[in-house]
Amino acid sequence: MPRIAFLECSRCKTRVSAETPQTLCPACAGSLYVRYDMDTLKRTARRDDIAAKAAASPASLGMWRYADVLPDVAPVTLGEGWTPMIHSRRYPGLYIKEEGANPTGTFKARGLSLAVTMAKHYGLQHLAVPSAGNAAGALAAYAAAAGLSAHIFMPQDVPFANYLEGIVYGADVNMIDGLISDCARIVGEKIKAQKEANTPTSEVWFDISTLKEPFRVEGKKTMGYELVEQLGWTYPDAVFYPTGGGVGLIGMWKAFEEMEALGWVTGKRPRMYALQATGCAPVARAFDEHKPASEFFQNAATFAAGLRVPKPYGDYIILDILEKSGGKAIASPDEVILESILDYARHEGIFLSPEGAAATAAYDQLLKTGELKPTDKVVLFNTGAGLKYTDMTAEAMHLRRPNEKKATLPTSLPVGGIITPQ
Amino acid sequence: MPRIAFLECSRCKTRVSAETPQTLCPACAGSLYVRYDMDTLKRTARRDDIAAKAAASPASLGMWRYADVLPDVAPVTLGEGWTPMIHSRRYPGLYIKEEGANPTGTFKARGLSLAVTMAKHYGLQHLAVPSAGNAAGALAAYAAAAGLSAHIFMPQDVPFANYLEGIVYGADVNMIDGLISDCARIVGEKIKAQKEANTPTSEVWFDISTLKEPFRVEGKKTMGYELVEQLGWTYPDAVFYPTGGGVGLIGMWKAFEEMEALGWVTGKRPRMYALQATGCAPVARAFDEHKPASEFFQNAATFAAGLRVPKPYGDYIILDILEKSGGKAIASPDEVILESILDYARHEGIFLSPEGAAATAAYDQLLKTGELKPTDKVVLFNTGAGLKYTDMTAEAMHLRRPNEKKATLPTSLPVGGIITPQ
């Protein structure tokens, strides 16, 4: 793997080799970043070649257009990335980055495309993930594409689409009576037990949790490259990012650092805003209290399922970026988030996920207080397709279909027992 | 509108002006095509400038990268088009064109982006559409983006997502106890009644049905440009296209004709395959019986909701293209379609719509008979995201979520009566 120079701890700067699979920093358990030899990259990676090269190859239509600044490994791709950037009809400075256009309907595809690519490269067989729902679906898809086994753990009250995609992609689906934090604990315990039982190495699960391995954040960084390229290689004034685990925000900041080193962009970096729901707002609370890390958020509850992360592993990185960039963290109540879904659907033609609408709700609030002007250039991430949340959104709206009648369906199904979840 | 030269009847070649809104050929009721002055286009539209120009502007990231060969009007865009082309893991010649990445999750976005763009240009206020489901959702979204009113008519047993998106985008939603053919009849009757009642022109609905106005097919033609550009400006051996109304197939054939005139592509055009479900197969039946048009398919029933079109308006064009190209029409049973959904999910990582799986089912069948080789270069369209059919796919699989528990949702909803459908 010539292009990766080493992995580096985000906290204590310890360096680790990328020749074998790595999880956390062996010294301090911080998250690891992929580092390249920037002098080589400056010679080999050329910004102005990207568009033409990307159009010439099906495998480069999406985020792999940035292959020059990603690990030099054959990609496991389903066409993720290079998503639309929709100019608002009402606010001249607002652009909505539509991550719902990704495979499996969310931004999670970027991180898992790269993480599964690397897992395959390393020869790993069994990948496990605790998830608020969408990462599970994405892992199931990419593992299927790579011919690996996916073990997914998610709360039993995730949107139905998350359950269905796990089943359809043939993953080992585990529905947990709890939150993503409970799922993470269970995955950790299972792997520990496998190791203690001297399970053959090829059968031990690899924990592909957010920020507990270096490549999901590396995939997510492509959102930073994209928003800058799509704005003509310039920075916006601000980036609005719905923050559950916060990996996208961390990845974008890493991208900005790399792009500046490569001379691909100059000027002031955008203010970074982390948006949450009032029912689960550990980062917003820590930001308001000027703390360097978050505390576990008790009784997390919000219909923005992706934001139900009571304590993000990378909280210390997120809070550092918010402060350095001059941004902030804001939490909105579910009622306001739902209103924002309907507002943007009816006036912009965009059906936001509840997470995306946590960002628009905060954007609208800052317009009202005057902290933000409609002409300020803002890139706001809709991290998932509203269509992935049909059940929860309809229920939140107390909506029933009139004259419901079941469609005619196949009478017999030849798939048998394989659809029974574990 | 300098770029459009005139509209031309697909059947009798009668020419009509594009200065005012047009529906069908005034002489023979055939569908109208947009025609340009090709000599001018040859001078102004340059194939090799497209990629760089597209990357430089958010509005050109999608199908509007082909603005040079589209009407010269400010687009109503939500980022439709320029969708992934996923190389199969199992069949070296197979590429899956993932139209589920479009806004509203289906290929319908392309046609309705252009049709709503033109409707806005003409100053139309009220747009009506009979739909098998997905065109209704797309019209609702683009009408919302353009500030126009959408009146949508669809069977009451469409996938729930189709109903929800109509409501969320604020359309006038009408759920009909019948098929798309009944919806079409009702829309026609309502418009006739409006005219007879001397309703003010601005309040009379405009029927934006497939092939009953010239611009939906013009938007769909971008699929033809895209697949050729994404294959390095070459033709594949065959194109597999799930065919309900068949507008995409018709649009692609038009694109091939234009691209050849512009010198953008040479060589033998692909064989065109129209794929249907056994439960609603008017085109396959007409093809087998060597008829120039289809007959109304009685008791249409299939869980591939988008294929429940008992008599496509453009059947005569579709059948002509199939024959000229050396392709054919094939229908598959729902059980086989469902098996194909699971097969491609588990082995390719792609969650197909039932319509897309009608195409993969036929592809697999032709591999088995030897009529097709795995190395033949085939572009196969997945016309919609599998996630848009969660309810119907789950029901077809007899799938229930274990330990179902409702998520915590907002307790009060401030949107009131506006969510009640008409």
Side-chain angles (χ1 to χ4, degrees), chain A residues 300-313:
Chain A
T302 165
F303 87 125
L307 301 181
R308 288 192 306 169
V309 181
K311 174 158 173 56
Y313 198 82

Side-chain angles (χ1 to χ4, degrees), chain A residues 77-78 89 145 158 163 167-169 335 338 342 346 395 397 401-402 405 407 409 412-413 415 418-419, chain B residues 77 86 89 145 157-158 163 167-168 335 338 342 346 351 392 395 397 401-402 409 412-413 415 418-419:
Chain A
T77 176
L78 294 168
R89 268 112 195 117
V158 291
Y163 173 65
I167 297 292
V168 166
Y169 288 120
E335 287 78 3
L338 182 57
L342 294 174
R346 287 165 192 199
E395 194 169 344
M397 292 172 72
R401 167 153 55 168
K405 178 184 147 188
L409 293 175
S412 71
L413 177 79
V415 293
I418 57 170
I419 61 168
Chain B
T77 176
I86 308 173
R89 269 116 195 113
D157 55 355
V158 291
Y163 173 66
I167 298 293
V168 166
E335 288 78 3
L338 183 58
L342 294 174
R346 285 161 193 201
F351 186 3
M392 296 181 86
E395 193 169 345
M397 293 172 73
R401 166 153 58 167
L409 293 176
S412 72
L413 177 78
V415 291
I418 57 169
I419 63 169

Side-chain angles (χ1 to χ4, degrees), chain A residues 8-70:
Chain A
E8 184 182 60
C9 177
S10 56
R11 185 152 32 199
C12 74
K13 309 298 170 196
T14 292
R15 293 182 176 189
V16 184
S17 163
E19 291 300 316
T20 53
Q22 300 291 344
T23 53
L24 291 165
C25 170
C28 78
S31 300
L32 295 173
Y33 281 167
V34 177
R35 298 297 186 196
Y36 306 92
D37 176 347
M38 295 308 281
D39 290 333
T40 307
L41 280 198
K42 273 181 216 172
R43 284 200 315 276
T44 57
R46 277 196 304 270
R47 186 185 93 168
D48 298 330
D49 293 349
I50 291 174
K53 274 165 64 184
S57 157
S60 301
L61 293 175
M63 73 176 204
W64 294 91
R65 71 194 277 115
Y66 304 111
D68 283 348
V69 292
L70 292 172

Side-chain angles (χ1 to χ4, degrees), chain A residues 76 78 103-104 106-117 119-120 125-131 133-154 162 165-166 169-172 187 205-210 213 216 388, chain B residues 345 349:
Chain A
V76 176
L78 294 168
T104 71
T106 80
F107 72 123
K108 296 285 182 186
R110 297 175 185 264
L112 285 154
S113 170
L114 192 49
V116 170
T117 292
K120 190 175 180 189
Q125 292 292 323
H126 289 270
L127 309 177
V129 78
S131 168
N134 287 323
L139 175 62
Y142 286 93
L148 308 181
S149 297
H151 306 273
I152 63 183
F153 293 75
M154 52 189 158
N162 292 136
E165 63 190 344
Y169 288 120
D172 165 24
V187 168
W205 298 357
F206 183 80
D207 184 351
I208 207 155
S209 293
T210 277
E213 61 76 58
R216 282 177 66 182
K388 206 164 178 184

Side-chain angles (χ1 to χ4, degrees), chain B residues 119-139:
Chain B
K120 189 177 179 187
H121 167 78
Y122 288 128
L124 298 169
Q125 291 293 321
H126 288 270
L127 308 177
V129 78
S131 167
N134 287 324
L139 174 61

Side-chain angles (χ1 to χ4, degrees), chain A residues 196-250:
Chain A
E196 284 171 4
N198 291 317
T199 309
T201 311
S202 68
E203 312 224 330
V204 173
W205 298 357
F206 183 80
D207 184 351
I208 207 155
S209 293
T210 277
L211 294 174
K212 291 188 183 167
E213 61 76 58
F215 296 108
R216 282 177 66 182
V217 68
E218 193 64 10
K220 294 264 188 78
K221 85 174 182 186
T222 58
M223 293 192 289
Y225 280 84
E226 269 184 42
L227 77 89
V228 168
E229 180 176 1
Q230 292 179 348
L231 293 177
W233 301 106
T234 64
Y235 281 135
D237 298 312
V239 170
F240 274 58
Y241 192 77
T243 299
V247 182
L249 194 142
I250 295 170

